[in-house]
Amino acid sequence: MTLRCIAPLILLLSLCSFVYAQQDTSFNSVITLREVMVQPDTRLSNRKEKKQGPDLQLSTDQLLESIAGVNMIRRGSYAWEPTIRGLNAGQINTTISGMAVFGACTDRMDPASSYIEPNNLQTISVNYGPGDQASGSSIGGGFNFKLKQPRLGNEKKLTGLAGIGYETNAHALQTLAALEYSSARFAIRGNGIFRRAGNYRIGGGELMPFSQYNKWNGGVSARYKLSSHQYVQADYLQDEGWNIGYPALLMDVAYARAKIGSFSYWYQPHSRSVHSWETKLYLNAIHHAMDDTRRPKEQVPMHMDMPGTSATAGFYSEIKWNSQTIHQVTTRLSGYRNRLHAEMTMFPDGGAPMYMLTIPDAQRTRIGVDISDKLAITNRLALITGIRADYDRSSIYTSSGEQQLSGMHEGELNRGDVLYNAYINGKYRLTDRWQLFGNFARAMRSATLQELYGFYLFNRTDGYDYMGNPRLAGEKSWNLSAGAEFQKEKIKIEGQTFLYLFSDYITGKPVSGYSVMTMGATGVKRYANLSSAILYGAEATLNAQLLSFLNIKSINTYTRGEDGDGHALPLIAPFKTVNTATATWRGYRLGAESVISGAQRHVSREAYGETAGEGYSIVNASLGKTFDAGARRWDINLALTNIFDSYYYEHPDILQLPRPGRSMAIHLTLEF
Amino acid sequence: MNRIFSCAVLCALIFAACKKDNPYPAEATGGKKIAEISQNNVTATLWADDPTLQTGYNRLYVSLKDMRDNEISNLPVSFFPLMDMGDMKHSSPVEQPLCNPQTKKYEGAVVFTMPGSGMSAWQLDVSVDGDIFTFPLAVNARTLQQSGVYVGTDAQKYIIALVPPRKWQMGLNDLDLFICRQTSMMEFPADDGFTVELTPEMPSMEHGSPNNVNPVSVGKGHYKGKINYTMTGDWRLQLKLIKNGAVIVDGAYMDVLF
């Protein structure tokens, strides 16, 4: 984004301060600055989990991994890529407080979730389909990371948090702090974290080279109350990572930088028609550069520079309508423009440097309308229905980008797509103990800019260079799910099965007559539509307060997918069961956790380059204690992970990269 | 609702404000003056695209003026290049000039088959209505091979030259080859009888590129096709010349760097 783009935005910002806005009421105010709420599928099944004090010292990736149905793809210690029921990349949406954010790396080294820290967050909400919180058309749902809101009129004017943590494996060190000032009309909050880690040791003790990382992240949010009905808020977040190793890939990362800013305006008239109205304008820019200079010479046949940028400007305006009937309608108008630029310069020994655009200046402009209606039909039956229409304009915004693609694609590169998403979620209370729920949705997504315009993007898993295809049809699916919940006193059991029927499933097909760009690559694939694919599975969770001090929790997930040619879909985690027992007594917490994963034999080497993966079993334990000292609260937490030092990996991990072996972490947190 | 609409319109304006300008300005050609000769009340000026001439295909331009500084564009003009090596002399392939009515310059081309200066030097005889203007020329060796003399399997000598474009760029480019046969030291008739097979490759990368179009004869010795450069850098254009089903020249190549 150039200055020329920013200037009219400032103008727009000042104009929009005359526009009414609204008070956000979607989450209540019990959430304090030391917590982050993880909410899978909130409105439907009301599962939510508060992560407290010491959990702020976990990474966003670790928090995501604890959610049922979410599996992470690891390429190293840093920036794991989330999947929801095996769906990933363009099949799921990631937003930060409703803002569209897209990673800049062509090799998926920087999912948007890598630019935020739990310390920034109020809630992480997960959707498993095009539900009422997904911001944008999507097949597999998505994540919304809601940034922590400064609180007006808090009892204590000044609150804060400071923490320090150390982990033996990788000698990971981190410090974090947050401070909030609150008055009746004005509140401001700042937070920061610094993390660094060396190379970790895998199960068995071997060192994993190039698994280090360094990062800092800081955020400031300020809210000002203009009148009893309206207030404004500005948020700014900056995240900078450097010297980050990706042992599963051929290159590391020199830097990954994100600057994310927004301005919001709330209007909360509590009138008969409008309950609240929120309007937000935002900008974000991500700069990312791959780096091979730290790798030994024999691993680098040719030095190359591969920087990429992603810039997004957008807005949304959401109104919650009041109604005297059973309807509770929310409408939302949103739009953004995202520009991606990625390039590669190769430096052969004794030859001239070679330059190319790997994402040849591609942009997407989206404008969408979303209407959802929450109906309380009877006190037993509730429905949430919604439709969403998006118009996507995808194009190449420079002539050098068009010229780069002129040798690959004939005809028009620019295209427009209209997408419709519709869903109906139902919940029926059978008895006081039993509740049934189901979901039926029609979902569509546009092909990503990488899938449309990518230029020799290397996929490490199957070893192919991928070419975009501007003629791709959007991917579509019918999503069905059904489940039941049983709740009796302190036991809650929930089970759910799901089925996704895809048409125009987007995948890569080998093309002949193309020579590979990446040295050692197997061949070249071009993105293509496959007539069909199927994905199905089940999730079951149990939560029981067995004794007053003892809680047990069990999360069990299974997913299986197959494309129309009979090949197993990639990046699908096998059966996994996570069982946790937590005892709390006089401020002490004692936890034990077992994670067991089955082997994944349902893989397709031919189509997706995956190899069968072994199962594993690991055991974790933790001990914590909270001390209250007047207005201050100290928390110390000791966590022992992978106690038996097992060698293991999750199936979606790239090239079956082994995960860390035994490690002990100590976290000390002070809240005031 | 119209507030939302005005927001959307403003956003659209922001987006519209970000359009980039075309980074490629049009380039003038024949803008470098090589030499000027006045004789018999006519001043002839020789121009080229680059300030120095190089081996291979060179576009050459001649402008003529009378004593009153009026441009002359109605006289027959022809080029005759000559290399004088002392003990022997030879010419080289040439494209006879035609007057461009816009620029009033006579535009032609010469393929210099070797470098020359001093003892063995090139000269260009420009005949203007029978009157010869002799321009001594310094021709440097091009660092990249963009022309070559090949002895075919039919024992004939062929000269292949790459006609340099205004600018190479990533992606699809027009490719123009100029092919002549040498029938004597002084005669180089254009040869339009070949089928050309083009295979580009990057010597540093061991890869080529897809979607190239083999050059086909368009007359007067020119063969036009398309070449797809997937990236900048060193490219080698492998060429195979086939006539009546028989491979006449194999292993010819042109080097490109941009």
Side-chain angles (χ1 to χ4, degrees):
Chain A
M1 288 288 134
T2 61
L3 266 177
R4 276 198 291 164
C5 308
I6 293 165
L9 188 87
I10 291 165
L11 176 75
L12 178 56
L13 286 177
S14 49
L15 279 174
C16 280
S17 51
F18 299 105
V19 177
Y20 298 101
Q22 64 136 36
Q23 172 95 36
D24 183 8
T25 55
S26 48
F27 304 107
N28 58 28
S29 60
V30 297
I31 302 144
T32 68
L33 126 134
R34 60 179 179 270
E35 296 160 342
V36 55
M37 189 89 95
V38 178
Q39 293 183 293
D41 240 2
T42 36
R43 293 219 198 157
L44 195 61
S45 59
N46 281 320
R47 265 190 276 153
K48 57 177 94 172
E49 198 178 335
K50 228 183 253 184
K51 300 279 181 179
Q52 299 206 347
D55 294 317
L56 283 186
Q57 300 220 13
L58 295 176
S59 67
T60 308
D61 297 332
Q62 285 167 313
L63 284 180
L64 289 175
E65 195 163 48
S66 69
I67 301 170
V70 175
N71 284 285
M72 306 301 284
I73 306 168
R74 273 179 72 130
R75 296 173 170 85
S77 295
Y78 190 79
W80 311 349
E81 185 187 352
T83 70
I84 301 178
R85 293 171 173 166
L87 301 177
N88 58 84
Q91 294 170 318
I92 58 176
N93 283 329
T94 305
T95 55
I96 297 175
S97 279
M99 302 182 276
V101 180
F102 300 92
C105 177
T106 50
D107 292 353
R108 294 161 66 170
M109 287 165 150
D110 68 334
S113 52
S114 68
Y115 293 113
I116 36 184
E117 286 288 327
N119 198 20
N120 305 130
L121 295 177
Q122 184 148 309
T123 52
I124 301 174
S125 353
V126 186
N127 266 282
Y128 295 88
D132 61 335
Q133 292 188 335
S135 9
S137 299
S138 132
I139 296 267
F143 301 97
N144 183 31
F145 297 93
K146 190 180 170 73
L147 298 176
K148 192 81 91 186
Q149 309 288 299
R151 295 161 299 172
L152 292 172
N154 195 30
E155 254 173 60
K156 285 166 73 182
K157 273 205 170 334
L158 205 63
T159 48
L161 165 141
I164 185 160
Y166 174 75
E167 201 174 332
T168 55
N169 197 343
H171 299 294
L173 186 73
Q174 62 186 353
T175 52
L176 67 125
L179 199 62
E180 181 175 304
Y181 168 81
S182 174
S183 72
R185 300 202 69 162
F186 177 70
I188 186 164
R189 179 193 149 81
N191 59 67
I193 187 164
F194 170 77
R195 289 182 189 273
R196 54 151 300 179
N199 293 326
Y200 68 83
R201 286 184 188 280
I202 63 174
E206 203 184 313
L207 204 64
M208 173 62 69
F210 313 110
S211 61
Q212 80 289 349
Y213 64 86
N214 298 275
K215 91 173 290 190
W216 67 261
N217 169 299
V220 183
S221 296
R223 175 178 285 203
Y224 182 71
K225 191 171 177 178
L226 295 171
S227 74
S228 59
H229 291 314
Q230 46 190 325
Y231 59 92
V232 290
Q233 184 173 321
D235 295 278
Y236 179 74
L237 177 69
Q238 189 167 344
D239 187 286
E240 303 224 353
W242 69 95
N243 184 17
I244 306 162
Y246 287 80
L249 303 181
L250 301 169
M251 293 179 84
D252 302 316
V253 162
Y255 59 80
R257 299 175 184 143
K259 297 181 178 73
I260 299 166
S262 67
F263 181 82
S264 318
Y265 203 89
W266 279 267
Y267 177 51
Q268 200 170 17
H270 300 301
S271 69
R272 282 179 65 86
S273 57
V274 175
H275 178 261
S276 62
W277 187 353
E278 177 189 359
T279 302
K280 176 176 285 184
L281 296 153
Y282 61 90
L283 280 175
N284 59 70
I286 292 175
H287 296 266
H288 189 271
M290 287 185 238
D291 178 27
D292 58 12
T293 56
R294 289 165 195 268
R295 295 285 176 110
K297 186 70 191 153
E298 62 272 17
Q299 281 186 27
V300 187
M302 189 185 296
H303 165 60
M304 52 187 88
D305 282 341
M306 296 182 71
T309 58
S310 165
T312 309
F315 75 98
Y316 69 80
S317 188
E318 184 179 278
I319 303 175
K320 290 181 163 60
W321 300 90
N322 267 336
S323 140
Q324 312 310 316
T325 66
I326 56 170
H327 297 275
Q328 196 183 320
V329 176
T330 305
T331 57
R332 183 183 169 101
L333 176 76
S334 60
Y336 66 78
R337 171 172 282 183
N338 171 238
R339 283 184 162 183
L340 296 178
H341 166 94
E343 60 183 53
M344 171 163 81
T345 310
M346 292 184 273
F347 300 91
D349 292 332
M354 296 175 281
Y355 172 85
M356 66 192 275
L357 294 168
T358 48
I359 297 180
D361 298 334
Q363 84 178 6
R364 167 159 296 160
T365 309
R366 165 173 288 187
I367 189 111
V369 184
D370 198 319
I371 301 168
S372 80
D373 185 7
K374 197 172 176 185
L375 292 111
I377 293 174
T378 67
N379 51 12
R380 285 181 180 277
L381 178 65
L383 288 179
I384 303 172
T385 63
I387 52 169
R388 182 181 170 93
D390 279 303
Y391 176 72
D392 277 1
R393 178 82 188 156
S394 310
S395 56
I396 301 296
Y397 67 89
T398 64
S399 52
S400 53
E402 285 172 2
Q403 178 60 34
Q404 169 92 73
L405 290 179
S406 63
M408 287 300 165
H409 309 298
E410 282 180 13
E412 185 63 36
L413 293 169
N414 303 347
R415 55 183 280 163
D417 293 275
V418 178
L419 306 171
Y420 297 102
N421 281 219
Y423 57 89
I424 177 160
N425 298 346
K427 183 165 77 173
Y428 183 69
R429 182 161 289 284
L430 209 57
T431 68
D432 284 351
R433 290 175 181 169
W434 284 93
Q435 180 166 292
L436 303 176
F437 51 89
N439 159 278
F440 178 63
R442 174 63 169 167
M444 283 184 204
R445 71 165 177 111
S446 295
T448 61
L449 293 174
Q450 287 87 343
E451 288 162 343
L452 292 175
Y453 305 118
F455 203 76
Y456 292 101
L457 302 181
F458 184 60
N459 178 339
R460 185 75 162 116
T461 305
D462 64 5
Y464 276 82
D465 282 331
Y466 275 67
M467 296 297 305
N469 177 359
R471 302 277 169 273
L472 273 184
E475 194 170 273
K476 300 155 197 80
S477 75
W478 292 104
N479 301 3
L480 293 109
S481 71
E485 183 192 296
F486 173 80
Q487 188 160 19
K488 183 188 174 187
E489 285 146 21
K490 286 168 177 171
I491 297 177
K492 187 171 161 185
I493 303 170
E494 194 182 294
Q496 183 166 201
T497 61
F498 59 86
L499 171 70
Y500 296 71
L501 297 167
F502 293 92
S503 51
D504 290 328
Y505 183 80
I506 295 173
T507 183
K509 286 280 171 196
V511 282
S512 55
Y514 283 61
S515 44
V516 301
M517 181 68 57
T518 308
M519 288 183 184
T522 311
V524 176
K525 284 186 179 180
R526 185 193 284 128
Y527 284 106
N529 292 110
L530 213 56
S531 61
S532 69
I534 183 170
L535 182 78
Y536 55 92
E539 285 140 15
T541 58
L542 162 80
N543 199 328
Q545 194 71 32
L546 283 188
L547 300 165
S548 61
F549 60 90
L550 181 65
N551 177 275
I552 63 162
K553 201 172 86 178
S554 174
I555 299 176
N556 306 279
T557 52
Y558 175 75
T559 312
R560 188 180 167 95
E562 206 165 271
D563 71 20
D565 295 341
H567 300 298
L569 293 183
L571 302 169
I572 306 287
F575 173 76
K576 185 174 172 184
T577 174
V578 181
N579 297 285
T580 318
T582 316
T584 45
W585 182 71
R586 287 190 165 181
Y588 284 97
R589 300 181 304 272
L590 182 64
E593 181 180 65
S594 141
V595 184
I596 299 169
S597 169
Q600 181 58 286
R601 305 272 179 238
H602 187 239
V603 294
S604 171
R605 180 165 211 137
E606 183 196 344
Y608 300 105
E610 288 197 320
T611 47
E614 295 302 316
Y616 69 84
S617 160
I618 59 164
V619 176
N620 307 320
S622 68
L623 175 66
K625 168 83 171 116
T626 304
F627 308 88
D628 279 312
R632 297 196 188 100
R633 169 182 286 184
W634 293 88
D635 189 283
I636 183 160
N637 198 65
L638 207 62
L640 206 56
T641 49
N642 195 357
I643 292 172
F644 300 110
D645 204 25
S646 308
Y647 177 98
Y648 81 109
Y649 51 85
E650 297 270 358
H651 175 70
D653 293 345
I654 300 300
L655 297 193
Q656 301 181 336
L657 182 79
R659 294 196 170 204
R662 183 186 301 123
S663 181
M664 192 169 78
I666 181 159
H667 292 144
L668 184 66
T669 315
L670 165 69
E671 294 157 12
F672 59 89
Chain B
M1 264 314 188
N2 52 10
R3 287 202 176 91
I4 295 177
F5 180 74
S6 54
C7 257
V9 168
L10 278 163
C11 279
L13 282 175
I14 296 177
F15 293 153
C18 301
K19 273 226 166 88
K20 270 203 178 167
D21 301 323
N22 182 4
Y24 303 117
E27 282 173 58
T29 57
K32 304 292 179 203
K33 190 171 171 178
I34 302 295
E36 195 170 86
I37 296 174
S38 297
Q39 63 188 44
N40 301 339
N41 297 337
V42 173
T43 302
T45 313
L46 182 67
W47 307 80
D49 292 339
D50 297 308
T52 54
L53 300 175
Q54 292 183 302
T55 50
Y57 189 97
N58 291 262
R59 288 188 191 84
L60 294 173
Y61 311 78
V62 168
S63 62
L64 302 173
K65 280 179 181 169
D66 63 15
M67 294 305 283
R68 292 202 205 98
D69 235 19
N70 294 323
E71 306 232 39
I72 303 170
S73 56
N74 56 356
L75 295 177
V77 173
S78 66
F79 288 171
F80 182 74
L82 186 70
M83 162 52 87
D84 186 349
M85 299 163 81
D87 52 345
M88 65 173 283
K89 288 180 182 175
H90 65 81
S91 183
S92 73
V94 65
E95 291 203 79
Q96 290 305 335
L98 290 171
C99 188
N100 181 333
Q102 261 117 52
T103 59
K104 302 274 170 61
K105 279 178 183 164
Y106 291 83
E107 300 180 4
V110 174
V111 179
F112 296 108
T113 46
M114 59 187 286
S117 64
M119 291 302 289
S120 54
W122 285 98
Q123 66 183 57
L124 182 69
D125 291 346
V126 178
S127 161
V128 179
D129 199 17
D131 195 5
I132 307 289
F133 291 72
T134 297
F135 289 92
L137 300 176
V139 175
N140 297 339
R142 200 182 286 267
T143 47
L144 296 169
Q145 172 161 336
Q146 295 196 340
S147 65
V149 182
Y150 299 91
V151 179
T153 52
D154 58 359
Q156 303 252 33
K157 256 188 179 175
Y158 295 98
I159 291 145
I160 309 171
L162 178 69
V163 180
R166 297 273 174 271
K167 178 186 169 76
W168 292 116
Q169 41 191 346
M170 286 185 293
L172 214 54
N173 290 259
D174 291 328
L175 176 69
D176 189 357
L177 296 174
F178 183 55
I179 302 178
C180 294
R181 193 168 70 245
Q182 181 171 5
T183 52
S184 73
M185 295 306 271
M186 298 297 164
E187 280 176 77
F188 299 83
D191 193 324
D192 294 322
F194 285 109
T195 305
V196 180
E197 279 180 18
L198 162 74
T199 313
E201 60 174 43
M202 294 201 87
S204 323
M205 290 289 290
E206 300 164 358
H207 74 59
S209 69
N211 305 330
N212 298 285
V213 179
N214 283 329
V216 292
S217 171
V218 293
K220 294 186 175 174
H222 283 272
Y223 290 75
K224 293 201 171 175
K226 299 263 186 197
I227 184 157
N228 181 16
Y229 296 122
T230 49
M231 58 173 86
T232 69
D234 289 298
W235 285 88
R236 178 161 286 185
L237 283 48
Q238 300 281 4
L239 298 169
K240 191 189 272 188
L241 270 55
I242 299 162
K243 195 178 263 182
N244 302 326
V247 176
I248 305 297
V249 177
D250 198 1
Y253 64 88
M254 305 286 140
D255 282 341
V256 168
L257 169 65
F258 73 106

